[in-house]
Amino acid sequence: MTIQKNNPFPCDEETSTKAVAVHCKGITKAYGSGSETVNALNGINLEVRTGELTMLVGPSGCGKTTLISIMAGILDQDEGDCVLFGKNFKSMSDLEKTRYRGEQVGFVFQSFNLIPTLTAAENVAVPLLIRRIDRKTAVQKAGETLKNVGLGDRLNALPAQLSGGQQQRVAIARSLVHEPRLIVCDEPTSALDHETGFRIMELLQYAALCADRALVIVTHDPRIFDFADRIAKMDDGRIVDVSDSPQDMGK
Amino acid sequence: MRFVAIKMLVGDRAKYLGIVMGLAFASFLITEQLAIFTGLMTRTFGFITDTAIADIWVMDPKVQFVDDIKPMQDMQLYRTRGVDGVEWAVPLYKGLLKAKLENGNYQTVIVIGLDDATLIGSPPVMLKGQAADLRRSEAVIVDTVGAAGKLSKPSPVPGQKRIPLAIGDTLEINDNRASVAGICKVSRTFQSQPVIYTTYSRATTFAPKERKLLSFVLVKAKPGEDVKALASRIKAVTGLAAYTRDEFKELTIRYYMKYTGIPINFGMAVLLGFIVGTAIAGQTFYSFTLENLRHFGTLKAMGTTNKTLLGMIVLQALMVGSIGYGLGVGAATAFGKLVKDTELAFRLPWQLLVITAVAISLICVFAALLSIRKVMKLEPAIVFKT
Ligand SMILES: Nc1ncnc2c1ncn2[C@@H]1O[C@H](COP(=O)(O)OP(=O)(O)O)[C@@H](O)[C@H]1O
Ligand SMILES: [Mg+2]
């Protein structure tokens, strides 16, 4: 599981300037109704920039998952605006939003969410298949991407035949294969041991991050805070602190 | 995404087989029951099929089906002959009589009496002897199933196979001697009694003395004559009922449909197959979707449109549907081959395959609809829920 030394992902940090990837303005979100209402987000203002690894951190239940779901366009906020690369989700139909996600967003999940009956390469090919790229091309491109995450020799393995760390690598390859401009990861290391989690973070930082792409990682694991370029600390549905240097987080 | 849909489906071997087997079972049950039903219905008019030479059957207007004999007076034959457009008209006797076997046992038999001069309506297939042999004195022709079965003789050695009735053997019908002159093959009918052909005049001597003995008049239309029009003409002139061959078959089927429990019984069996199929296949297909809901959610989050997801589920349903259908219909056909030479009525015209296909499609649509509804309403945000 060695990562190739020449980075195949077209990132050129020297020449690019950081741009706003996601802009959240006054976002609120409540679940349920009546006495059951849970105010998950209470007015979120946040900018996520390309070329940066932004972490959303905070105690369990503070609204991290809710926030990245809205940023990724899979959940509608109640109030406020969420603008992804200049496009406001509010102004899009469900269909447009779905298509936009398919082009602009990559997902990495805590529990990998690979389709168990597809091989590693086929799983990675899915985002390309969704964009109607023919199967042969898609699987081939998926194979290349898998090589770049150090799984060149496991292309035909089923998820069940892979370790947790390997599965997460497949998932990362899947989030990258169609070269989206935003990658959202919800607790990508929580299901892994510390060492493996660390390697996954290295991979994300190295392979996924590039100048015109933004990476948003939700975590409550302080041991990986060091990987962040920016940390947004949340509590009770609010951003309580945004800091550019993780060392300030007082860990 | 078709590829993903198929792999999702067949990758889960156990579930996949479960769904396919459920559908195969349903389609087998439906096809087989319909085929037996069709076979039985065909049997009801077996005698009409065997007497294909007649264009028109003339009978008492109260007759409801082919085995429902309401004798007419002989003069009806001459009146029918007189109708314009009739090429020929011959009498036919059909009745249930008691035959006394050589060992003294009695057996009810169906006696068919054919026009003495022409022997029109003679057995469709002669296995031994020929129809003309009926002209010999006391001659009768016996159907092979009856000869080997209900009319057979016990073996002289106890415990051995019974000996079929053969040419030269005699039996007594209503105290009249009858001598077997031939063995024939007839289409199976609903009446399980042996069939004995003889001449009209001999049949009427066998029969108890009655004023009216004529069961049917068989009519051939003149060449170029409109058979339907001729039938109505005969009806108008004689006041009798006159049906074309197909009309008489239909009348017979309709009687059985209306006055017997057969259609209900088979309808229930078919319905049962349908319900069992829907329950098993629908339920397993739905639970397959439920198990994969997380993956459908992931696909949705990753940008798969509802339309594509719908296509995927329809494809999955189509696939299990057509494989299950193929297996079920194949099994039913094999079953039909297996029972071909047995008592079981089994007829599988292509129309039945269409009916089963429609039924299986309905089951699949139903199963798919539940799944589609679930997946369409799926919130992609579930993907981050652990
Ligand atoms: N679908 C839901 N229905 C009701 N309440 C929810 C739902 N999803 C999340 N919540 C609630 O909203 C709050 C924020 O949840 P979440 O965004 O998952 O927090 P985090 O990811 O930081 O743990 C929690 O109190 C949680 O219980
Ligand atoms: Mg969470």
Side-chain angles (χ1 to χ4, degrees):
Chain A
M1 273 211 309
T2 52
I3 296 159
Q4 284 186 359
K5 281 297 162 235
N6 57 330
N7 190 342
F9 299 97
C11 299
D12 189 357
E13 283 186 52
E14 308 301 321
T15 56
S16 301
T17 49
K18 288 177 180 175
V20 177
V22 192
H23 192 173
C24 299
K25 278 178 288 188
I27 287 180
T28 67
K29 176 74 184 176
Y31 294 105
S33 56
S35 59
E36 307 273 289
T37 309
V38 179
N39 292 314
L41 298 179
N42 300 306
I44 297 281
N45 295 301
L46 181 68
E47 254 184 34
V48 172
R49 294 191 291 250
T50 59
E52 283 188 355
L53 194 160
T54 304
M55 271 188 195
L56 289 180
V57 306
S60 179
C62 70
K64 306 183 293 293
T65 298
T66 304
L67 182 56
I68 57 161
S69 299
I70 291 170
M71 286 179 167
I74 56 174
L75 187 69
D76 294 333
Q77 70 272 28
D78 294 337
E79 292 166 43
D81 292 284
C82 179
V83 180
L84 178 63
F85 294 107
K87 276 200 147 185
N88 194 330
F89 281 133
K90 253 193 206 163
S91 67
M92 287 189 237
S93 69
D94 269 356
L95 181 64
E96 283 171 326
K97 235 177 356 189
T98 305
R99 292 240 164 88
Y100 197 62
R101 278 201 306 268
E103 285 162 17
Q104 303 289 358
V105 187
F107 292 86
V108 177
F109 310 96
Q110 179 179 341
S111 44
F112 324 134
N113 288 15
L114 299 174
I115 296 177
T117 53
L118 298 185
T119 65
E122 289 163 353
N123 263 295
V124 174
V126 165
L128 300 176
L129 295 174
I130 289 173
R131 296 170 80 175
R132 301 189 178 283
I133 289 165
D134 71 279
R135 193 169 111 212
K136 204 164 158 253
T137 316
V139 173
Q140 195 183 343
K141 174 113 196 267
E144 285 161 24
T145 311
L146 273 172
K147 265 179 219 143
N148 298 327
V149 300
L151 284 176
D153 54 344
R154 304 307 308 268
L155 301 188
N156 295 316
L158 291 174
Q161 298 164 331
L162 299 172
S163 70
Q166 288 173 323
Q167 290 189 52
Q168 196 60 302
R169 277 165 192 275
V170 174
I172 289 170
R174 180 177 64 181
S175 75
L176 291 174
V177 72
H178 55 305
E179 291 164 19
R181 289 202 284 165
L182 172 70
I183 293 181
V184 291
C185 315
D186 195 12
E187 314 265 8
T189 60
S190 299
L192 306 170
D193 63 67
H194 178 59
E195 168 70 18
T196 314
F198 200 82
R199 297 260 169 275
I200 288 296
M201 285 310 299
E202 277 182 342
L203 178 69
L204 277 171
Q205 193 179 43
Y206 166 78
L209 197 58
C210 65
D212 51 5
R213 180 182 293 146
L215 213 55
V216 180
I217 296 179
V218 162
T219 185
H220 61 254
D221 180 3
R223 289 174 303 190
I224 64 169
F225 286 177
D226 273 344
F227 287 95
D229 295 312
R230 264 168 104 230
I231 293 188
K233 198 173 172 193
M234 288 182 70
D235 199 4
D236 202 16
R238 272 177 247 273
I239 307 272
V240 291
D241 182 55
V242 179
S243 123
D244 277 337
S245 46
Q247 282 70 25
D248 297 350
M249 288 299 291
K251 65 173 182 114
Chain B
M1 294 305 283
R2 278 191 301 248
F3 165 74
V4 175
I6 290 171
K7 271 220 132 175
M8 263 171 107
L9 175 68
V10 301
D12 188 348
R13 260 315 120 80
K15 253 249 139 85
Y16 172 61
L17 286 182
I19 305 168
V20 167
M21 283 306 147
L23 287 169
F25 180 68
S27 88
F28 172 76
L29 210 61
I30 294 171
T31 312
E32 183 239 24
Q33 291 295 319
L34 284 175
I36 294 179
F37 177 65
T38 310
L40 283 179
M41 284 299 124
T42 311
R43 270 187 195 178
T44 61
F45 54 75
F47 183 60
I48 307 174
T49 310
D50 283 356
T51 317
I53 188 168
D55 290 336
I56 294 169
W57 291 62
V58 181
M59 66 205 78
D60 185 280
K62 290 208 182 66
V63 169
Q64 298 183 78
F65 60 106
V66 66
D67 300 323
D68 179 28
I69 305 299
K70 302 245 157 59
M72 307 170 283
Q73 285 177 329
D74 279 347
M75 53 85 114
Q76 298 292 14
L77 171 63
Y78 309 110
R79 292 182 67 190
T80 306
R81 277 186 183 151
V83 176
D84 210 26
V86 171
E87 169 97 8
W88 48 249
V90 295
L92 187 82
Y93 173 86
K94 184 169 187 288
L96 285 173
L97 300 176
K98 276 228 158 63
K100 191 180 176 194
L101 310 182
E102 275 182 1
N103 65 5
N105 284 349
Y106 284 93
Q107 169 65 48
T108 308
V109 295
I110 302 163
V111 173
I112 312 287
L114 309 174
D115 178 45
D116 291 55
T118 60
L119 297 180
I120 280 169
S122 58
V125 180
M126 290 299 301
L127 298 175
K128 284 186 192 128
Q130 44 197 332
D133 295 342
L134 284 180
R135 298 220 165 82
R136 294 199 209 136
S137 70
E138 299 177 341
V140 294
I141 294 171
V142 182
D143 90 279
T144 180
V145 175
K150 290 183 170 151
L151 296 178
S152 62
K153 298 171 289 186
S155 162
V157 189
Q160 289 290 84
K161 257 178 131 178
R162 295 175 69 87
I163 303 165
L165 204 64
I167 291 183
D169 287 341
T170 59
L171 31 79
E172 259 175 50
I173 303 174
N174 268 352
D175 296 332
N176 298 283
R177 240 175 79 93
S179 156
V180 178
I183 305 290
C184 67
K185 196 172 164 189
V186 297
S187 295
R188 241 172 237 279
T189 68
F190 258 32
Q191 296 176 298
S192 55
Q193 295 90 348
V195 181
I196 291 183
Y197 282 87
T198 187
T199 60
Y200 185 78
S201 57
R202 203 169 298 129
T204 49
T205 56
F206 289 165
K209 297 290 158 272
E210 277 178 53
R211 202 163 49 88
K212 301 196 260 181
L213 283 167
L214 179 63
S215 312
F216 298 103
V217 176
L218 303 182
V219 174
K220 184 84 184 170
K222 281 198 171 130
E225 197 70 40
D226 178 359
V227 176
K228 269 207 165 139
L230 178 58
S232 353
R233 217 148 52 230
I234 294 173
K235 201 171 150 192
V237 171
T238 60
L240 298 168
Y243 302 108
T244 68
R245 205 166 42 236
D246 287 341
E247 284 171 352
F248 195 27
K249 285 180 183 174
E250 227 179 281
L251 185 80
T252 300
I253 286 194
R254 213 170 295 144
Y255 174 84
Y256 277 95
M257 293 286 235
K258 200 164 166 190
Y259 293 107
T260 68
I262 299 167
I264 299 213
N265 285 328
F266 279 89
M268 291 300 281
V270 168
L271 194 70
L272 197 74
F274 188 76
I275 290 170
V276 167
T278 311
I280 298 180
Q283 144 74 29
T284 41
F285 189 79
Y286 184 57
S287 84
F288 158 78
T289 310
L290 286 189
E291 262 175 36
N292 281 294
L293 214 51
R294 185 172 193 81
H295 302 124
F296 282 118
T298 306
L299 292 175
K300 211 172 195 175
M302 292 195 302
T304 312
T305 59
N306 268 348
K307 204 175 124 203
T308 305
L309 290 171
L310 183 130
M312 288 173 72
I313 294 174
V314 168
L315 175 68
Q316 290 170 338
L318 266 180
M319 204 169 133
V320 288
S322 47
I323 295 174
Y325 172 74
L327 286 177
V329 165
T333 313
F335 175 81
K337 284 245 155 64
L338 215 69
V339 300
K340 199 166 171 230
D341 297 315
T342 68
E343 290 273 332
L344 204 65
F346 189 96
R347 276 198 84 217
L348 190 52
W350 63 267
Q351 286 91 339
L352 294 193
L353 299 184
V354 174
I355 293 175
T356 309
V358 169
I360 296 298
S361 306
L362 281 179
I363 294 176
C364 289
V365 164
F366 177 73
L369 273 184
L370 284 179
S371 301
I372 286 166
R373 217 179 82 98
K374 194 86 191 171
V375 171
M376 295 295 103
K377 290 173 85 180
L378 188 62
E379 282 291 342
I382 64 141
V383 292
F384 283 138
K385 298 274 174 284
T386 33

